Amino acid sequence: MNPRRNPTEPMRSDPIGSDLREMFRAGAPAEPSEAEWATVLEGVRRGLERPHVTATPVARRWRLGALMAAALAAAAVVALALAIPYFRTAPLEITDEHADVVQFPVTDTEDVEILSVDTADSGAIVVGDLPLQKPIVFMEPGDVALRSLQRDAEGDFPDVHMHPEGEQSPMIWAPLSVKP
Amino acid sequence: MAAVTLSSAPELSDDQLLARFARGDRDALDELFCRYRSAAYRVAYRLLGREADALDAVQESFIKALTHIHNFQGRSSFKTWLLRVVSNASLDLGRQRGRREALCLDAVVSTEPEAGPLVTFDRPTQGLEREELRDLLQEALAALPEAQRRTFVLHVEGELNYREVAEVLGISIGTVMSRLFYARQKLRAYLGRRVER
């Protein structure tokens, strides 16, 4: 039995062994002297009193923050102004950068046989087929019927593509507009 | 410099001491330090192998653990948090100072046993002075892969149970058990070269 073991811990076979534990107890490092401990504690106190980051005066921090916020806002406005024409003319094209990558299966289902799994590790292993074998299609041409359209509260009219070319799904999106 | 003495007052819980420490109570820091300094030192020593380095690691770890106390509160015990910091700091310190021994157990096992003092598993201290045994154990620990060494040291010297070691290292209890099992095998194989038969 391991005398150091937490009594609330479930009983298990001791993987260390009492002989090895005894050997480590017998060969334990000598305890530092009280003077050495006092030096270490003093170092801890000094370390805790030392500021960990260079303090910036509050007023200077406020000005710095305001400047950064203004710069970020200006950058956002410029980026938005550049992006609006693009968004107005065409929907954002979503591409899969890995579409052309050929995937080589490492193993097939028949290649793997699980002999045993530790209970504690079982949650990390998923056994079975992948739940998704292909991209999810929320709707296809023909699934959506267009009944009416009207302008929104801002007076904008949505772009509607009910029969896009190819196999793409129908899309409806509101145009971006800049509000004062 | 005043010597640090262990308090005999009624024991406050770690949480109570930490709350007092947060309010600036220096005595609370002293009590926490006295409570866990030995375990921290043993872990650091076993991972570093030298007293001075271990004391440096203990000092640095108390500072880090208390400075970043908000990272652990409510999720584990202070001791678990502290020993996590100690083991990380010890390994960092060991790497920085370049004294991590590149001792390969396989190479050692494949060679003939070295001449030297013998120990027995029945009476481990027989034939060895404490310092010799300590150095021998350090050699044996250095022969373990880092993950096994950390796991073993946290369990045996840090006196953390399996669940706590699993928390410290971010692994499952099954992995802790497995590492301890293999660590024991390798330690026994290494030390067995010195066993009197």
Side-chain angles (χ1 to χ4, degrees), chain B residues 143-162:
Chain B
L144 296 179
E146 183 178 294
Q148 289 176 14
R149 184 164 66 248
R150 287 182 79 182
T151 307
F152 183 90
V153 167
L154 285 167
H155 178 59
V156 173
E157 298 293 2
E159 302 177 12
L160 297 182
N161 61 35
Y162 305 141

Side-chain angles (χ1 to χ4, degrees), chain B residues 116-132:
Chain B
L118 299 176
V119 296
T120 70
F121 280 102
D122 294 334
R123 285 172 294 172
T125 56
Q126 183 184 37
L128 279 181
E129 295 297 329
R130 178 179 173 140
E131 284 187 8
E132 291 172 321

Side-chain angles (χ1 to χ4, degrees), chain A residues 2 4-6 8-10 12-17 19-32 34-50 52 118 120-121, chain B residues 1-2 4 21 26 29-30 33 37-38 41 45-46 55 59 62-63 66-67 119-121 124-125 130 133-134 137 141 152 155-157 159 161-163 172-175 177 180-181 184 187-188 191:
Chain A
N2 170 19
R4 292 173 171 178
R5 179 182 292 160
N6 185 336
T8 61
E9 186 169 74
R12 301 170 190 265
S13 60
D14 184 1
I16 302 302
D19 49 0
L20 205 53
R21 286 184 189 278
E22 175 57 31
M23 195 175 283
F24 272 83
R25 267 194 291 273
E31 182 81 359
E34 285 301 326
E36 287 174 311
W37 280 131
T39 303
V40 174
L41 179 56
E42 193 55 37
V44 173
R45 286 183 183 137
R46 280 200 308 272
L48 291 171
E49 288 165 2
R50 191 173 57 232
H52 295 279
D118 191 291
D121 295 328
Chain B
M1 183 179 298
V4 178
F21 167 74
R26 285 169 62 111
L29 169 62
D30 295 359
F33 181 78
R37 65 185 190 182
S38 293
Y41 175 74
Y45 180 86
R46 291 300 192 196
L55 287 173
Q59 177 176 308
F62 267 96
I63 294 170
L66 291 168
T67 302
V119 296
T120 70
F121 280 102
T125 56
R130 178 179 173 140
L133 178 59
R134 188 188 63 198
L137 294 174
L141 281 173
F152 183 90
H155 178 59
V156 173
E157 298 293 2
E159 302 177 12
N161 61 35
Y162 305 141
R163 192 179 308 280
S172 71
I173 292 178
T175 306
M177 298 283 286
L180 290 176
F181 176 79
R184 177 201 179 188
L187 288 171
R188 289 182 69 90
L191 296 168

Side-chain angles (χ1 to χ4, degrees), chain A residues 55-68:
Chain A
T56 307
V58 175
R60 197 171 140 206
R61 261 186 284 165
W62 185 89
R63 283 199 300 272
L64 189 62
L67 276 173
M68 288 182 66

Side-chain angles (χ1 to χ4, degrees), chain A residues 13-139:
Chain A
S13 60
D14 184 1
I16 302 302
S18 58
D19 49 0
L20 205 53
R21 286 184 189 278
E22 175 57 31
M23 195 175 283
F24 272 83
R25 267 194 291 273
E31 182 81 359
S33 67
E34 285 301 326
E36 287 174 311
W37 280 131
T39 303
V40 174
L41 179 56
E42 193 55 37
V44 173
R45 286 183 183 137
R46 280 200 308 272
L48 291 171
E49 288 165 2
R50 191 173 57 232
H52 295 279
V53 291
T54 306
T56 307
V58 175
R60 197 171 140 206
R61 261 186 284 165
W62 185 89
R63 283 199 300 272
L64 189 62
L67 276 173
M68 288 182 66
L72 282 172
V77 168
V78 170
L80 194 60
L82 291 172
I84 283 172
Y86 175 76
F87 283 117
R88 274 191 172 281
T89 54
L92 182 64
E93 185 181 356
I94 300 173
T95 58
D96 181 358
E97 60 181 2
H98 300 298
D100 297 331
V101 176
V102 178
Q103 297 178 355
F104 295 99
V106 179
T107 60
D108 290 330
T109 307
E110 305 79 43
D111 296 335
V112 179
E113 183 181 3
I114 298 174
L115 299 177
S116 69
V117 178
D118 191 291
T119 307
D121 295 328
S122 59
I125 297 177
V126 178
V127 179
D129 294 327
L130 290 171
L132 293 176
Q133 298 291 341
K134 59 182 181 179
I136 298 176
V137 178
F138 291 106
M139 56 184 177

